[in-house]
Amino acid sequence: MSTFKAIVIDRNESGQSVGIRAFDEAELMDGDVTVRVSHSTLNYKDGLAITGKAPVVRRFPMIPGVDLVGTVEASSNPEYKPGDAVVLNGWGLGETHLGAYAEKVRVKGDWLIPLPQGLSPLQAMAIGTAGYTAMLCMMALERHGLRPDRGPAIVTGAVGGVGSVAVALLAGVGWHVIASTGRPEEADYLKGLGAAEILDRSELAGPSRPLAKERWAAGVDTVGSATLANVLSMTKYGGAIAACGLAGGMDLPTTVAPFILRNVALLGVDSVMAPKSLRIEAWSRIARELDHDRLAAMTSTIPLDRVLEAGREIVEGRIRGRVVVEIAG
Ligand code: NDP
């Protein structure tokens, strides 16, 4: 029997259990490409899967981990051959398909993209799903016709993974970035990523008015709930907010006032099922546009055996920036 090391979530009558164990290679799911994983990352969704706080995992046993970089070991897909460096995020990895916290994955070649030029494997996972989602948000704002000369851009959950990359990306192309956070002690960190102003998240936490003073033309929201409602109520005429997260809650207690009286747009962003062409565009733009020093400043690295503890920390909002998980050297 050939096995590899993995974090495995099991379920039995007494509930869900999670730990590191040897996983039988014969239990890998269908796919035409086998990848030896070098790095994965820790995303909010991974925290939800590990802690069982939300029903992210759809089959058991499950190996969590929604994104990875690695090297093709075997392939019957014409686009990939052994030795190719590849990146994968989403498509149900770690939810419905055995995921990335493992030395090995077997997946559909259509889910993979080549490691973008100019990025090391570690840098690609420092970006990870969070960073690629931040770029999808910025691209959605641009498709809406918004440019930095229209006024400030707000980023909520700014110290988190998506937030940190969004601050750096938006500032990098010239936006005046207002970073909203519950961690004022991280002001210097956020300014180092390019934030021009820090806003205490408590200002966006209470019940929102239908319309409030116009403060920003664009935004990336990772928090949802009352925070997004307040952000919308303060968006300038003709502005737009890209919404990708629910760190503060799944609900959205708003009114139609910003939409029908200020022509504000709410742009939904999903990274999991995004088409391949959009992924390739997003990843290659990040590779070109994200300042590598700022990326390094927001990144920490942990071994596989620290993931369970870090998964609990991320759902409690205690992780700063991006966490790379080192799987193989
Ligand atoms: P992180 O935990 O790294 O960041 C979330 C941040 O949100 C925290 O750091 C904190 O920022 C803020 N926050 C946490 N709890 C609350 C709260 N109760 N009220 C207000 N703010 C809060 O997670 P990620 O960056 O990995 O993900 C952010 C969100 O985006 C998640 O909801 C995730 O599921 C979603 N996401 C969605 C994707 C998609 O495809 N649509 C892809 C990737 C992520 P601070 O300390 O600065 O206040």
Side-chain angles (χ1 to χ4, degrees):
M1 181 174 91
S2 177
T3 63
F4 59 88
K5 193 166 70 171
I7 292 180
V8 184
I9 302 175
D10 286 299
R11 189 174 58 179
N12 57 28
E13 317 77 57
S14 51
Q16 191 171 305
S17 67
V18 56
I20 298 188
R21 67 168 166 89
F23 197 86
D24 186 351
E25 211 171 318
E27 283 183 56
L28 278 173
M29 294 168 75
D30 287 347
D32 53 1
V33 182
T34 304
V35 179
R36 185 152 279 280
V37 182
S38 70
H39 302 81
S40 180
T41 89
L42 183 72
N43 295 280
Y44 189 83
K45 192 184 269 178
D46 299 316
L48 293 177
I50 287 166
T51 58
K53 245 190 110 183
V56 166
V57 175
R58 303 290 179 175
R59 60 94 75 185
F60 296 91
M62 174 52 72
I63 298 174
V66 302
D67 48 15
L68 64 90
V69 63
T71 308
V72 172
E73 191 176 88
S75 168
S76 57
N77 183 302
E79 283 190 49
Y80 296 99
K81 58 177 189 326
D84 287 348
V86 291
V87 171
L88 169 51
N89 47 355
W91 295 120
L93 201 71
E95 300 179 67
T96 53
H97 193 96
L98 292 173
Y101 295 150
E103 291 171 312
K104 220 174 250 203
V105 295
R106 186 173 304 134
V107 295
K108 286 189 186 163
D110 291 347
W111 295 348
L112 299 167
I113 63 165
L115 176 66
Q117 274 193 354
L119 293 180
S120 69
L122 192 140
Q123 285 171 324
M125 280 301 100
I127 295 159
T129 297
Y132 141 77
T133 302
M135 177 53 92
L136 291 179
C137 289
M138 188 164 97
M139 287 163 60
L141 296 169
E142 291 173 354
R143 271 199 306 279
H144 196 73
L146 292 167
R147 298 289 177 268
D149 60 1
R150 290 283 297 278
I154 181 156
V155 175
T156 64
V159 176
V162 179
S164 292
V165 183
V167 168
L169 284 174
L170 289 164
V173 295
W175 286 92
H176 179 100
V177 177
I178 301 174
S180 163
T181 182
R183 291 182 264 182
E185 67 278 13
E186 297 291 359
D188 287 346
Y189 163 76
L190 289 168
K191 288 190 171 155
L193 298 182
E197 290 178 52
I198 310 298
L199 179 68
D200 196 299
R201 80 183 192 198
S202 62
E203 286 194 43
L204 304 174
S208 66
R209 287 191 281 148
L211 294 174
K213 185 171 178 283
E214 295 178 44
R215 295 175 78 171
W216 34 75
V220 172
D221 178 62
T222 72
V223 175
S225 195
T227 301
L228 178 54
N230 276 292
V231 165
L232 288 166
S233 75
M234 297 174 192
T235 302
K236 291 186 185 198
Y237 192 95
I241 303 300
C244 70
L246 45 52
M250 180 84 114
D251 60 328
L252 180 53
T254 186
T255 73
V256 295
F259 311 120
I260 66 172
L261 298 175
R262 286 197 182 146
N263 217 19
V264 165
L266 179 57
L267 311 173
V269 172
D270 165 64
S271 68
V272 177
M273 305 303 285
K276 193 168 178 177
S277 56
L278 190 62
R279 287 166 189 263
I280 290 175
E281 186 188 349
W283 274 100
S284 60
R285 276 197 62 183
I286 303 173
R288 286 197 309 273
E289 294 177 29
L290 183 59
D291 182 284
H292 285 189
D293 291 337
R294 286 179 175 170
L295 180 62
M298 69 177 83
T299 304
S300 53
T301 302
I302 60 171
L304 196 61
D305 61 14
R306 257 274 293 148
V307 167
L308 300 184
E309 188 187 351
R312 284 188 286 275
E313 288 167 10
I314 200 166
V315 292
E316 289 163 8
R318 291 196 284 127
I319 293 283
R320 182 176 97 170
R322 297 284 302 133
V323 178
V324 174
V325 179
E326 208 152 47
I327 303 215

